[in-house]
Amino acid sequence: MPPTDEEIRVAIAALRSDADDWREWAGTLARASTVVDELGLSVSDMCALSAVVGLPEAYATLRHHAHMLAVQGSLRFAEVADALAEAADGYERDERDAVHRLRGVW
């Protein structure tokens, strides 16, 4: 049994809602990448022995990796959002075209 018009509308709306959620998380990760990038600590901010054990370098490496993961995550989340929106557009277009074809036949 094919889906009803209402079921199709609900499914398309759900895809668009999911896309909005993924875009929101992409924005959150983008903001997180900026915050991480600003979390710099100098040797004077750390204890006197921190430079001896390599803490500043380890911290800088960790901060860089956290920043890059957040940037990459934001990009991937935005890609998922775009894919969901494209799927919704496609389903909507397919449904509209099918309705036009049916009306042309009847």
Side-chain angles (χ1 to χ4, degrees), residues 81-101:
D82 290 345
L84 289 166
E86 286 177 31
D89 291 345
Y91 284 127
E92 200 168 54
R93 190 172 39 256
D94 289 348
E95 183 61 18
R96 188 178 53 247
D97 292 346
V99 167
H100 287 300
R101 279 194 306 273

Side-chain angles (χ1 to χ4, degrees), residues 3-16 92 95:
T4 65
D5 289 346
E6 181 63 19
E7 289 171 330
I8 291 170
R9 278 192 294 277
V10 167
I12 291 170
L15 284 169
R16 293 195 192 289
E92 200 168 54
E95 183 61 18

Side-chain angles (χ1 to χ4, degrees), residues 15-27:
L15 284 169
R16 293 195 192 289
S17 176
D18 287 351
D20 290 343
D21 290 344
W22 281 90
R23 278 195 210 335
E24 185 177 331
W25 281 107

Side-chain angles (χ1 to χ4, degrees), residues 20-37:
D20 290 343
D21 290 344
W22 281 90
R23 278 195 210 335
E24 185 177 331
W25 281 107
T28 298
L29 282 173
R31 288 187 298 280
S33 73
T34 302
V35 169
V36 167
D37 204 36

Side-chain angles (χ1 to χ4, degrees), residues 67-106:
H67 170 77
M68 292 308 298
L69 285 172
V71 166
Q72 292 169 3
S74 176
L75 292 172
R76 298 300 83 82
F77 276 42
E79 288 171 355
V80 170
D82 290 345
L84 289 166
E86 286 177 31
D89 291 345
Y91 284 127
E92 200 168 54
R93 190 172 39 256
D94 289 348
E95 183 61 18
R96 188 178 53 247
D97 292 346
V99 167
H100 287 300
R101 279 194 306 273
L102 282 174
R103 287 186 179 151
V105 170
W106 298 106

